Every structure is written in C-alpha cells, then in structure tokens.
Amino acid sequence: FAATAPEDRARAIVAVADALEAAKARLVEIAMRETGLTEARLSGEVTRTAVQLRLFADALVDGGYLDARIDPADPDFVLGPRPDIRRTHIPLGPVINFSASNFPFAFSVLGGDSAAILAAGCPLIVKAHSGHPELSDATGEVALAALRASGMPEGVFHVIHGQQAGVDVLKDPRIKAGAFTGSIHVGRLLADIAASRPAPIPFYGELGSVNPVFVSADAVAERADEIAAGYLTSVSGSAGQLCTKPGFVFVPEGSELPGAVARAGAGLPEHRLLGPRIAQSFAERRDAILGTPGVRAVIEGGIRFDDEGQGWATPTVVAVSLDDFRAGYRTLVEEAFGPLSILVET
C-alpha cells in the first residue's frame, strides 16, 4: 500500500467519499436507530465526512505533506565537504484507529483519522465502537468495496469488534501507530499500552474535555439572555454528547446569568443518549453532582430509562459557589458526558 502512487490513493479516497454519499440514506437510517441522533445531524455528518476524505485526497495530490527537503552536495562547505542529503516522510505501517461513540461518521470508521491513515499509505484497522456496531460494519463494507474497485491492495482496510480485540491489535508488533477519540480514562489506558510496548509506538489521542468558559460581568449585563440561549444550545445539542460542550461556566457571584439560563431552559425537549452504558454513566454522574454539598439546580432536568435500557435526558444545569466548587472538586471536576453543565459563581 505504501508503494502505491499518491494520485492513485487520492482517486481511491475520492471513490470512498462518493460511495459514502451514495449510501447516505441507508447508513443514516441505521445510525438513527443505533445512536438516537437526529436525521439532520447525521446527514450533515455524512457530508462532513465526505468533505474530509476529499480534503485528504487533495493533500495527496498537492504533495506538501511529504515535507521533502534536499540539501545538495557542497564540496566547498566551510566545515568541510558536505554530502547530498535528502529527507521526506514515509508511511509508518499498519495503524489501528479506535472509533468514537458520539460521531458515528466523522470520527468513526471513515472519519478524519481513518482518512489521514489511508492517505498516508498506511494499512488501516478500525476498532468499531460498541455503540454502533451495525453501522460500523455497513460503513466498512462501503469503504472496502470502493477501495477494491479502485485497485487498492487487499488487506489495506479492516473493521474489528470488541475491547480485547482492540487491545490485542494495539499490542501486536506489526502495528506501528494508534489513534483514538473518546474518554480520558480509556484514552489513557490505550496510550499507556502503546508506550509500554517493547518497541513503543506513536499514539494520537483526542481525549475528553470539560471546556471551561468565563463570562464577565459586563457581558452578562449587556446580553445575558443571548449568552444563556447560546449556552443551552451547546449543552442540549445532541444531548450534550459533544467535545465542545461547556462543562463549566465561571460567572461573577450574584450574576443574572443563572436566572437567564433558568428562563431559557423552560420546555427543553428530551433527547436519547447514545446507548444504555453511556446513559447509565450519565445518570450516575448527574446524581453525584447533584448530591455534592453546595450544589443547587438551576435547571433540574432529568433522565428516564425505557424498556430497552435506553436513557432519555433533559438538560441539567447546576450552580455552585467557588468555595463549594473547591471543596467538592474531586467529584465535580470530572466530565459529565451528556446534557449537564455547572455554573461556578466566583
């Protein structure tokens, strides 16, 4: 695969993008059923993923990614004759990419990490996320058919399932790098495995975040309702299961923002979380946060479980003083993956 011409790889990646868009309706239907995300959100994500693939194809044709450098021989160099020295980037070798749960297209089987790996000429093994296994297989079949039709070598793309299978592949000496998008806890475990191998390998991880935001007194005075509306849009969008959700908002003590948030939060609809395991984790984090001394509900929200174990949540926003935040730091500081955010009054 590394020996294929960049232009040929670019054409293959564009073919994958075309095939993905052609299969959009079928794949989005599966994704809606497995993840609970909306048709509009998922359709837009397919388009985004196709654009990402084509951007990497453009980079291949451009060639700048190779960072080729040539220092010609110089027999008269001041420190003595200098030889001809040339350098360029080459593919590392087979790479495993661990899919994310909350972006079933853009950071999953054919997301940006996968596009980069294939564009570089590295055989790709995707460890599918357990939250959308049927979609992972269906997307993988679309990609594999397009790669084969484009004349790419056999074995350059494969989807696997299961936590242990992913760990086993990451430990395999033939694997030369790992990529991951997901929680801090799991990412840390995988990064440690990559670093502790007899021959350590690079690990490219995008881990969870709590995204602290700071709002000044002047901003609240000028546009409290506007800030509250934007804040709640971010907290509730896709049930708060995005890495951009503000986990903490620091506001001046006595600020009008909590009141504006409470007004803006009236009647927010419930949204299904990605899967039962994520829903259960969110419920536990929500209970722990609400049970922390000094924490009060601005928007109480809630979560209910249906007969299939799926969790349906409405946004929860709480407030806490800076002193109580410090006292309850160990409980409050961890990410709450779902529609929950904390106002810290300073």
Side-chain angles (χ1 to χ4, degrees):
F1 190 38
T4 57
E7 294 81 3
D8 292 337
R9 292 205 301 277
R11 281 191 288 270
I13 290 172
V14 170
V16 171
D18 292 342
L20 178 66
E21 289 185 315
K24 176 190 283 191
R26 176 172 62 89
L27 295 177
V28 166
E29 186 278 326
I30 298 171
M32 290 173 62
R33 172 163 39 84
E34 286 195 308
T35 70
L37 297 173
T38 65
E39 182 178 6
R41 153 71 196 276
L42 291 165
S43 294
E45 197 177 320
V46 171
T47 300
R48 166 181 168 167
T49 304
V51 168
Q52 288 181 141
L53 288 161
R54 294 189 178 103
L55 285 172
F56 277 101
D58 290 343
L60 269 171
V61 174
D62 172 79
Y65 73 99
L66 293 169
D67 195 19
R69 303 188 186 191
I70 301 174
D71 290 330
D74 184 358
D76 300 319
F77 187 59
V78 65
L79 297 179
R82 185 179 67 190
D84 182 277
I85 299 175
R86 305 184 179 210
R87 193 209 78 173
T88 188
H89 290 151
I90 62 173
L92 281 172
V95 179
I96 181 169
N97 178 27
F98 292 82
S99 295
S101 63
N102 56 338
F103 283 90
F105 292 107
F107 289 93
S108 187
V109 172
L110 281 179
D113 288 342
S114 292
I117 293 162
L118 291 171
C122 296
L124 168 63
I125 297 173
V126 177
K127 190 276 179 186
H129 196 279
S130 59
H132 48 266
E134 184 182 345
L135 176 66
S136 297
D137 284 339
T139 306
E141 290 167 4
V142 168
L144 186 57
L147 290 169
R148 282 174 172 164
S150 301
M152 292 296 101
E154 285 293 323
V156 301
F157 179 86
H158 195 65
V159 176
I160 64 172
H161 294 266
Q163 177 180 330
Q164 190 57 49
V167 170
D168 290 344
V169 170
L170 184 61
K171 291 180 176 180
D172 192 292
R174 293 167 292 183
I175 293 295
K176 301 305 179 185
F180 169 82
T181 302
S183 70
I184 293 173
H185 173 68
V186 175
R188 184 70 265 170
L189 292 174
L190 295 175
D192 289 346
I193 290 171
S196 63
R197 289 176 23 149
I201 58 173
F203 184 81
Y204 303 94
E206 181 185 347
L207 279 54
S209 175
V210 295
N211 301 314
V213 174
F214 296 83
V215 182
S216 69
D218 287 346
V220 174
E222 292 172 6
R223 49 192 181 92
D225 290 337
E226 179 184 346
I227 293 171
Y231 168 56
L232 284 176
T233 296
S234 185
V235 172
S236 62
S238 296
Q241 299 166 121
L242 299 174
C243 58
T244 54
K245 184 202 73 178
F248 298 95
V249 177
F250 291 82
V251 299
E253 187 176 8
S255 162
E256 291 298 319
L257 190 59
V261 169
R263 292 191 298 273
L268 285 172
E270 67 177 8
H271 193 300
R272 204 196 97 185
L273 295 173
L274 289 165
R277 181 170 57 84
I278 287 174
Q280 187 61 46
S281 295
F282 173 73
E284 292 171 1
R285 283 290 297 130
R286 179 178 176 277
D287 288 345
I289 289 168
L290 287 171
T292 302
V295 169
R296 70 181 192 279
V298 176
I299 301 174
E300 187 165 356
I303 181 169
R304 68 174 179 87
F305 288 88
D306 62 22
D307 293 340
E308 297 178 349
Q310 301 287 1
W312 296 77
T314 50
T316 297
V317 176
V318 302
V320 63
S321 71
L322 182 58
D323 287 340
D324 286 332
F325 174 68
R326 285 172 171 153
Y329 180 82
R330 291 187 180 276
T331 300
L332 298 176
V333 74
E334 294 181 17
E335 180 182 16
F337 188 69
L340 186 149
S341 185
I342 299 175
L343 300 173
V344 181
E345 298 169 325
T346 62

